[in-house]
Amino acid sequence: MATSLDLEGDVVDLLRRLVDVESVSGDEQQITDLVEQALRPYRHLQVSRQGNVLVARTELGRAERVVVAGHLDTVPIADNVPSRTTQEDGRTLVWGRGACDMKGGVAASLAAAAVLTAPRRDVTWIFYDNEEVEEQRNGLKRLAATHPQHLEAVFAVLCEPSNARIEGGCQGTMRVLVELTGVAAHSARSWKGHNAIHDAGAVLQALADHQPQQVVVDGLTYREGLNAVRVSGGIAGNVIPDRCEIEVNYRFAPDKSPEQAEAYVRSVLPGVPLRVTDVATGARPGLDQPAAAEFLAAVGGEPSAKFGWTDVARFSARGVPAVNFGPGDPSKAHADDEFCPGEEVVSCRDALVRWLS
Amino acid sequence: MATSLDLEGDVVDLLRRLVDVESVSGDEQQITDLVEQALRPYRHLQVSRQGNVLVARTELGRAERVVVAGHLDTVPIADNVPSRTTQEDGRTLVWGRGACDMKGGVAASLAAAAVLTAPRRDVTWIFYDNEEVEEQRNGLKRLAATHPQHLEAVFAVLCEPSNARIEGGCQGTMRVLVELTGVAAHSARSWKGHNAIHDAGAVLQALADHQPQQVVVDGLTYREGLNAVRVSGGIAGNVIPDRCEIEVNYRFAPDKSPEQAEAYVRSVLPGVPLRVTDVATGARPGLDQPAAAEFLAAVGGEPSAKFGWTDVARFSARGVPAVNFGPGDPSKAHADDEFCPGEEVVSCRDALVRWLS
């Protein structure tokens, strides 16, 4: 059994404690219990829980309310729990599953929630489950459906790793299935068939030759990607295959609707039989909104575009401008050598406190 | 329990009986028992059995010996046993698993073995198991290793389906694995990776563009084939894949050694990382040999090239010229609508009897 969490002690120690409590998606009971026990004693927070989604609200009657949210789950452990630390050029690095994605952000926001007893704006702190798995299980999605008032705000910060810098909006993501069909035949008489795998050659070559777009939206540059992420075909070693499937993932800038994104894929693969199997719209950065501008000023630095899809799109879809802001390099998310610099946890906590004090 | 086999009655009835006894590879005990019981009473045959391989030899002291061989197993049943017959343009068609590949040939040779009490050449009749599965289990391969004397002959006939015409030799078959490697990355930041599936585009396009050779060997034209028979790659829907495999099957004319076949594949796919995982050399038709010429004369018609690999290569490898000759259309082998024309069973039996009487 893990010991309780100290929200007002060393925030790097707090991150280590969070990493040491395994919380792979679907197994968030223990970490949610600990977070709940840690927040309940704070009289300035009104804590409620739905399953493994925890909401802590200040109710000071401020004119504005903001949301700060983060997920508690991680992808599966890869022999990287419990946590460990190393020193590098005077910096402390915390290693372990979830250190980067996104217990660093959770530690920063828990620490800020504890000390911000009288924030300038009311705050809704949200900690949720099942972000790393299929969308149907996502705790924030569930909360939006059952308790939409908890997502109401003038601005939202999602503590996904962003190197402690503001990353605006997020790209959309679309999954497309290319289904090629041929005619099966014995491979000793291949001319009697039509090889569906051979037809994949032109499709994959078109994807290989394609130069992804870079699109400027609200001042931020989004870099798209169009990639085959799976290919499969073949019946047996002596049969001309009559079927080949290619799954394509299109990451598209938030200026595009799903319809525009599909039209773009079709323009790259003209005449190819394909269908969209899944799509999630992106979120425009919305950094021109006043609430966002104020957050930018408090944090400092230059905002950049977020390439991956994140739950900021859930706020954006409700008209709430939202940004990603959290410690850790997003390219270390899900990596076996996942880590988070301790100083970025500190600076994120401090930025949140500075913004809301 | 199936009734006993009548080798001297209607040969089409005999074929139906053989089809009705299921004998999927590995399950040949019952059919071998029946064949053994049917052959044992014939005093002109010396019958021996090794597992489910049955050998029946005449020992008349003739100057020459020939082999007639056929396998007893079939590919899995596809709701096509027991057999049925239809009439079409006055022809009787026997439908069912193995009717074509190759119980038609087995029926013809069993019937010939029964009536050829004093053949002009000594005959070794071979019936064997496990032809339709991996080579290690092949009954003829096993017999060649444990009782090589049973394969000694001046000429061999393998009763594989060939539309009751002589098909000379067989093509070689080679399996090649193309292993493409890239660098994995999150698909939201695809430029940090290298997509191995995209690299498959050029390989598959080269195979699609390739025009297979037609090669004349000993007067017969062999039509080659070079085909991707399997492709697989992909890690997850949001990951740039770092690996893609393509399995290629090369069917090559019997003028090529395995080394020449590999060099040919490499010339079509220059610079592509590949390795040969399996190869079986073909068999030259050998129709210029005297014993073969005599068989051609007895059967009549024009010989043609055999495109598929067959066990004739096992004789050829021992210096025994061998041909394929059996009832049924080889393109119906393994098909769900497998059938064999009854009249071809009759004509094949008659040709064997005419040749050896």
Side-chain angles (χ1 to χ4, degrees):
Chain A
M1 185 58 195
T3 54
S4 63
L5 304 176
D6 176 5
L7 305 189
E8 294 177 64
D10 185 309
V11 73
V12 176
D13 284 348
L14 176 58
L15 169 55
R16 292 200 58 182
R17 290 276 169 84
L18 290 168
V19 172
D20 292 345
V21 181
E22 295 191 13
S23 60
V24 176
S25 307
D27 190 24
E28 299 94 339
Q29 172 91 38
Q30 189 189 357
I31 198 164
T32 313
D33 288 350
L34 284 170
V35 170
E36 182 177 4
Q37 287 158 21
L39 289 172
R40 285 273 182 209
Y42 291 97
R43 303 295 296 277
H44 66 286
L45 295 173
Q46 194 169 309
V47 176
S48 63
R49 178 169 176 170
Q50 292 83 31
N52 289 326
V53 176
L54 205 73
V55 178
R57 299 168 63 101
T58 65
E59 295 289 0
L60 302 166
R62 304 296 196 216
E64 291 187 343
R65 173 176 291 280
V66 297
V67 168
V68 179
H71 64 84
L72 297 170
D73 61 317
T74 72
V75 297
I77 312 293
D79 200 21
N80 53 1
V81 169
S83 65
R84 60 191 180 84
T85 59
T86 58
Q87 301 294 324
E88 203 169 279
D89 301 332
R91 300 191 314 158
T92 301
L93 305 183
V94 178
W95 301 78
R97 173 60 72 227
C100 170
D101 186 11
M102 56 178 281
K103 292 182 175 179
V106 168
S109 54
L110 280 172
V115 299
L116 283 165
T117 53
R120 291 202 294 150
R121 295 174 186 80
D122 271 317
V123 190
T124 305
W125 307 92
I126 302 175
F127 303 94
Y128 62 100
D129 60 337
N130 281 311
E131 192 269 352
E132 298 289 6
V133 287
E134 61 270 28
E135 206 215 347
Q136 289 70 15
R137 295 166 62 189
N138 185 293
L140 189 63
K141 178 189 171 87
R142 212 166 56 238
L143 187 71
T146 61
H147 299 74
Q149 70 277 14
H150 288 325
L151 280 74
E152 278 165 24
V154 297
F155 184 61
V157 175
L158 191 68
C159 298
E160 288 278 357
S162 63
N163 294 307
R165 290 197 290 266
I166 295 174
E167 293 189 337
C170 75
Q171 296 205 116
T173 179
M174 172 173 278
R175 214 159 282 175
V176 169
L177 189 63
V178 174
E179 294 169 301
L180 303 166
T181 53
V183 177
H186 196 289
S187 67
R189 284 173 291 278
S190 52
W191 55 92
K192 296 200 171 186
H194 179 91
N195 192 322
I197 293 179
H198 287 190
D199 288 350
V203 177
L204 296 177
Q205 194 59 57
L207 292 173
D209 292 342
H210 173 254
Q211 291 295 329
Q213 292 187 309
Q214 301 204 17
V215 183
V216 177
V217 184
D218 297 349
L220 300 187
T221 301
Y222 290 87
R223 192 163 172 180
E224 299 194 334
L226 182 62
N227 274 277
V229 289
R230 185 178 63 78
V231 61
S232 65
I235 300 169
N238 61 354
V239 179
I240 301 303
D242 63 352
R243 204 171 156 73
C244 183
E245 279 191 1
I246 305 169
E247 190 179 318
V248 176
N249 182 219
Y250 179 33
R251 300 285 176 150
F252 56 97
D255 65 324
K256 291 192 182 67
S257 68
E259 293 70 28
Q260 289 168 321
E262 178 175 348
Y264 183 79
V265 174
R266 290 189 184 278
S267 76
V268 175
L269 302 175
V272 172
L274 59 85
R275 61 191 169 89
V276 173
T277 57
D278 194 28
V279 63
T281 315
R284 298 181 72 98
L287 296 178
D288 47 349
Q289 316 267 351
E294 214 168 320
F295 181 64
L296 291 190
V299 172
E302 273 299 300
S304 60
K306 183 73 177 177
F307 299 128
W309 193 93
T310 78
D311 275 339
V312 299
R314 297 190 199 284
F315 292 100
S316 166
R318 307 178 68 84
V320 180
V323 298
N324 299 280
F325 174 70
D329 181 342
S331 72
K332 285 296 164 187
H334 306 192
D336 290 355
D337 61 343
E338 182 173 354
F339 72 90
C340 184
E343 65 181 8
E344 292 188 8
V345 186
V346 173
S347 71
C348 283
R349 179 200 57 189
D350 292 350
L352 290 170
V353 172
R354 192 161 55 242
W355 174 43
L356 293 169
S357 291
Chain B
M1 186 59 196
T3 55
S4 62
L5 304 175
D6 176 5
L7 305 189
E8 296 178 61
D10 185 310
V11 73
V12 175
D13 284 347
L14 176 58
L15 169 55
R16 292 199 59 182
R17 292 276 169 83
L18 290 168
V19 171
D20 292 345
V21 181
E22 295 190 13
S23 59
V24 176
S25 308
D27 190 24
E28 300 94 338
Q29 171 93 37
Q30 189 188 359
I31 200 164
T32 313
D33 289 350
L34 284 170
V35 169
E36 182 178 4
Q37 287 158 20
L39 289 172
R40 285 274 182 206
Y42 291 98
R43 304 293 298 275
H44 66 286
L45 295 173
Q46 194 168 312
V47 176
S48 62
R49 179 170 176 170
Q50 292 82 31
N52 290 326
V53 176
L54 206 73
V55 177
R57 298 168 64 101
T58 65
E59 296 288 2
L60 301 167
R62 304 298 197 216
E64 290 187 342
R65 173 176 292 279
V66 296
V67 168
V68 179
H71 65 84
L72 296 170
D73 62 317
T74 72
V75 297
I77 312 293
D79 200 22
N80 53 2
V81 169
S83 66
R84 60 191 180 83
T85 59
T86 59
Q87 301 294 323
E88 203 168 280
D89 302 331
R91 300 192 313 161
T92 300
L93 305 183
V94 178
W95 301 77
R97 173 59 73 226
C100 170
D101 186 10
M102 55 175 283
K103 292 181 174 179
V106 169
S109 54
L110 279 172
V115 300
L116 282 165
T117 52
R120 291 202 294 149
R121 296 173 186 79
D122 271 316
V123 189
T124 305
W125 307 92
I126 302 176
F127 304 93
Y128 62 100
D129 61 338
N130 282 310
E131 192 269 351
E132 299 288 6
V133 285
E134 61 270 28
E135 208 216 346
Q136 288 70 13
R137 294 168 60 188
N138 185 293
L140 189 62
K141 179 189 170 85
R142 212 167 56 239
L143 187 71
T146 60
H147 299 74
Q149 70 276 17
H150 288 324
L151 279 76
E152 280 166 22
V154 297
F155 184 62
V157 175
L158 191 68
C159 298
E160 287 280 354
S162 62
N163 294 307
R165 291 196 290 266
I166 294 174
E167 292 189 338
C170 74
Q171 295 205 115
T173 180
M174 172 173 278
R175 215 160 281 175
V176 170
L177 190 63
V178 175
E179 293 169 301
L180 303 167
T181 53
V183 177
H186 196 290
S187 67
R189 285 172 292 278
S190 51
W191 56 92
K192 296 201 171 184
H194 179 91
N195 192 321
I197 293 179
H198 287 190
D199 288 349
V203 177
L204 296 177
Q205 194 59 56
L207 292 173
D209 292 343
H210 173 254
Q211 291 295 328
Q213 292 187 310
Q214 302 204 16
V215 183
V216 177
V217 183
D218 298 349
L220 300 187
T221 301
Y222 290 87
R223 192 165 172 178
E224 298 195 335
L226 182 62
N227 274 278
V229 290
R230 183 178 64 77
V231 62
S232 65
I235 298 168
N238 60 353
V239 179
I240 302 302
D242 62 352
R243 203 171 155 73
C244 184
E245 279 192 1
I246 305 169
E247 189 178 318
V248 176
N249 182 219
Y250 179 33
R251 300 284 176 150
F252 56 96
D255 65 324
K256 290 191 182 67
S257 68
E259 293 72 27
Q260 289 169 320
E262 179 176 349
Y264 184 78
V265 174
R266 290 190 184 277
S267 75
V268 175
L269 302 175
V272 173
L274 58 85
R275 61 189 169 89
V276 174
T277 57
D278 194 28
V279 62
T281 315
R284 297 182 72 99
L287 296 177
D288 47 350
Q289 315 267 353
E294 211 168 320
F295 182 64
L296 290 190
V299 172
E302 272 299 300
S304 59
K306 184 74 176 175
F307 299 127
W309 193 92
T310 78
D311 276 338
V312 299
R314 297 190 199 283
F315 291 101
S316 167
R318 308 178 67 84
V320 180
V323 297
N324 299 280
F325 174 71
D329 180 344
S331 72
K332 285 297 164 187
H334 306 190
D336 289 355
D337 62 342
E338 183 173 354
F339 72 90
C340 184
E343 65 181 5
E344 292 188 8
V345 186
V346 173
S347 71
C348 283
R349 178 200 58 190
D350 292 351
L352 290 171
V353 171
R354 192 161 56 244
W355 174 43
L356 293 170
S357 292

